């Protein structure tokens, strides 16, 4: 391929979007990008694709400021062509997901004093899909195999897979990559070792006669690893030069702000959503490591991320929620007394049956209902409550079925609570 006077295509062209299935797993990085003289087959929409030359790309790369640095060559250039011409939809998909994870990546890499450019490796690994699984069983944003994941504290069972947890997997990837850098003293070689393992890199170094750069050992690396680092470098270039290639930012998806709560019991996310009016999809998105919407006994201490918009309700109803979740969980044999089945009132409420109750600190509807032998739904109906949220000082009317001690006067119910507590963990 000649480096000078090379132009990709005319200004307005028809693009051909290739399938993405398994294209970006750790074991199967995209093979050599499509040859520049290959015929471009038509798709169903027009899109302006700016012309560019090898020299233009080279100049832009030289002006980039990053902690890793790289020089353009034909291999990297072919991947840049692929992403900016042949598979533009993939870049747009990545851009839509980018804001969900890059703040986490940058924070973690900065903490470990690593180049923030490494965050682009997750795009090559997973396309920023925390639930993606490769054909050989690698999982998550950073595509950890079970054994390697376990080395970094990520465990897997039939209900939980920590490799799909963005925070845990990002922390593990940073530690692993940093250890590889210490081993080889070169970030490109460390990335290669992340893909094919340090053993294969050492073998490539020996076969190359002791060379210790990626391009020095390139011909002695496994075939897929030869494409792996150039893909990363091409992605680093493209996402930093979107305007030059008319790659418009799609409507981004931002992370859901959350607080993490430990209920310390087995339960289902469906039940939690039912009790709190939370969207089950939000719970699944915030907790991707939970495989079957179920917190098992073996992982009952796991902290559950809940949307911050519901944090006040959760805090004010912790005891009631905890007991309700436990009672409905199939794994718990004994229902909680707070939400035990209550008998309906034997007659319609009358004014003589009414108790006036002032809500005090620590109260939840479950404890109030249990104390007065009525149901939560009764209290909500009598007081026109649309949710289980109550406030300190609020007046509740309860029809107990017993006449007040002084006729024609309402008596104030005493308030006492020994409800169990559920812990809250500060989230992002």
């Amino acid at each position: 391929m000649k480096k000078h006077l090379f132009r990709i295509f005319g200004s307005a062209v028809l693009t051909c979007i290739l399938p993405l299935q398994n294209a970006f797993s750790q074991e199967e990085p995209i093979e050599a990008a499509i040859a520049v003289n290959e015929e471009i087959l038509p798709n169903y929409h027009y899109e302006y694709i700016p012309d560019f030359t090898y020299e233009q790309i080279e100049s832009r790369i030289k002006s980039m400021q990053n902690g890793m640095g790289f020089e353009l060559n034909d291999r990297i250039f072919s991947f840049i062509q692929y992403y900016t011409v042949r598979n533009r939809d993939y870049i747009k998909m990545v851009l839509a997901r980018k804001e969900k994870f890059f703040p986490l990546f940058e924070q973690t890499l900065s903490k470990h004093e690593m180049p923030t450019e490494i965050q682009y490796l997750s795009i090559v690994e997973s396309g920023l899909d925390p639930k993606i699984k490769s054909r050989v069983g690698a999982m998550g944003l950073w595509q950890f195999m079970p054994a390697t994941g376990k080395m970094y504290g990520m465990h897997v069972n039939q209900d939980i897979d920590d490799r799909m947890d963005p925070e845990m997997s990002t922390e593990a990837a940073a530690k692993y990559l940093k250890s590889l850098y210490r081993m080889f003293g070169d970030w490109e070689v460390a990335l290669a070792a992340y893909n094919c393992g340090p053993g294969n890199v050492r073998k490539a170094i020996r076969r190359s006669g002791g060379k210790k750069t990626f391009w020095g050992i390139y011909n002695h690396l496994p075939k897929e690893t030869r494409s792996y680092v150039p893909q990363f470098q091409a992605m680093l270039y493209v996402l930093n030069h979107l305007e030059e290639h008319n790659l418009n930012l799609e409507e981004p998806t931002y992370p859901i702000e959350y607080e993490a709560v430990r209920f310390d019991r087995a339960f289902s996310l469906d039940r939690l959503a039912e009790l709190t009016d939370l969207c089950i999809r939000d719970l699944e998105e915030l907790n991707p490591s939970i495989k079957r919407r179920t917190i098992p006994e073996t992982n009952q201490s796991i902290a559950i991320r809940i949307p911050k918009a519901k944090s006040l309700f959760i805090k004010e109803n912790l005891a009631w929620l905890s007991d309700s979740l436990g009672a409905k969980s199939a794994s718990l044999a004994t229902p909680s007394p707070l939400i035990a089945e209550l008998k309906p009132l034997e007659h319609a409420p009358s004014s003589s049956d009414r108790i006036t109750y002032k809500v005090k600190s620590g109260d939840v509807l479950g404890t109030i209902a249990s104390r007065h032998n009525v149901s939560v739904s009764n209290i909500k109906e009598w007081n026109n409550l649309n949710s289980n949220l109550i406030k300190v000082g609020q007046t509740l009317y309860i029809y107990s079925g017993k006449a007040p001690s002084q006729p024609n006067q309402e008596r104030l119910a005493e308030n006492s609570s020994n409800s169990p507590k559920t812990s809250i963990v500060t989230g992002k």
Side-chain angles (χ1 to χ4, degrees), residues 114-212:
M114 299 167 65
T116 55
E117 290 79 15
I118 289 174
Q119 64 190 337
Y120 293 92
L121 189 68
S122 182
I123 300 174
V124 178
E125 287 286 353
S126 64
L128 300 181
D129 181 354
K131 292 189 175 183
I132 195 169
K133 185 176 183 179
S134 77
R135 59 179 176 81
V136 297
M139 180 71 77
L141 289 169
W142 297 94
Q143 290 291 281
F144 276 95
M145 294 295 288
T148 310
K150 190 173 182 180
M151 289 172 53
Y152 288 92
M154 294 183 290
H155 299 283
V156 179
N157 59 39
Q158 63 180 358
D159 297 296
I160 304 293
D161 191 336
D162 290 333
R163 296 174 299 166
M164 293 189 288
D165 185 285
E167 292 182 8
M168 292 183 70
S169 62
T170 301
E171 179 70 18
K175 290 179 178 178
Y176 186 33
L177 282 162
K178 193 168 185 177
S179 71
L180 293 171
Y181 175 73
R182 289 171 179 162
M183 194 179 299
F184 297 108
D186 183 281
W187 280 116
E188 290 182 347
V189 177
L191 298 184
Y194 189 86
N195 176 251
C196 67
N200 282 321
V201 169
R202 291 193 190 96
K203 188 185 298 182
I205 291 173
R206 289 195 303 269
R207 290 176 177 176
S208 70
K211 295 178 181 178
K212 295 184 179 180

Side-chain angles (χ1 to χ4, degrees), residues 216-246:
I217 64 175
Y218 176 85
N219 292 326
H220 304 280
L221 289 168
K223 185 178 179 181
E224 65 271 16
T225 307
R226 298 175 202 172
S227 297
Y228 184 75
V229 174
Q231 279 186 73
F232 162 79
Q233 291 164 328
M235 191 61 67
L236 176 58
Y237 162 81
V238 173
L239 266 69
N240 282 279
H241 294 87
L242 296 170
E243 291 185 7
E244 290 88 337
H245 297 279
N246 192 35

Side-chain angles (χ1 to χ4, degrees), residues 2 52 69 221 233 277 293 302 304 312-313 345 358 376:
K2 293 183 180 180
F52 60 88
L221 289 168
Q233 291 164 328
D277 291 326
R293 294 185 180 178
I302 189 175
I304 306 302
L312 180 61
F313 170 78
L345 297 179
K358 291 287 186 180
V376 171

